[in-house]
Amino acid sequence: MIVRMHTITWRVGQLAAQRGLSTRRLAEAAGLDEKTVRNIVAGRATRVDLETIARLSSTLEVTPGALWTTKPDPADAWLATAGVAGPAQPGELDELLAGGSPALLDSALERATRSF
């Protein structure tokens, strides 16, 4: 079984800014230590207890899940670009794998391989 990992990113700073709250004001309103809130906003918090999450979500008037977002596993990033250059012309892939000149390749294939 393959387990896909997601990157969790806190949205607390964004949500606070939308409400005109500074880190200090958010901490005061939520009854939390300012350093704790600052670490969450900066993405440096490694362990955040449920009470802190509850206080932040209540103060920001959002559900707890709205405090963060997830990004897909970077290993799956190729899915977004797979096939964007269109189908290869006969012999193009063999030419590329053999170290052929990009000038001889279809422009779409060349653009797709330019970063390699």
Side-chain angles (χ1 to χ4, degrees):
M1 179 173 90
I2 296 175
V3 176
R4 296 290 183 208
M5 300 300 291
H6 290 271
T7 302
I8 296 175
T9 305
W10 286 100
R11 295 184 58 230
V12 174
Q14 174 189 2
L15 294 168
Q18 289 172 352
R19 288 156 179 78
L21 295 172
S22 66
T23 304
R24 171 180 276 164
R25 300 263 317 186
L26 176 59
E28 289 172 358
L32 296 169
D33 180 66
E34 184 179 352
K35 184 177 178 182
T36 299
V37 175
R38 205 174 331 120
N39 284 336
I40 291 170
V41 169
R44 292 188 302 262
T46 57
R47 296 179 190 183
V48 180
D49 62 41
L50 293 176
E51 178 68 24
T52 299
I53 290 171
R55 287 173 181 243
L56 289 171
S57 65
S58 177
T59 302
L60 294 169
E61 298 177 334
V62 297
T63 62
L67 296 177
W68 56 82
T69 186
T70 60
K71 295 180 183 176
D73 186 337
D76 291 337
W78 67 273
L79 290 173
T81 58
V84 296
Q89 299 299 315
E92 281 184 322
L93 188 55
D94 292 333
E95 179 72 23
L96 178 65
L97 293 174
S101 169
L104 301 175
L105 302 175
D106 176 281
S107 60
L109 184 57
E110 190 272 330
R111 283 193 309 274
T113 59
R114 196 174 289 154
S115 64
F116 294 113

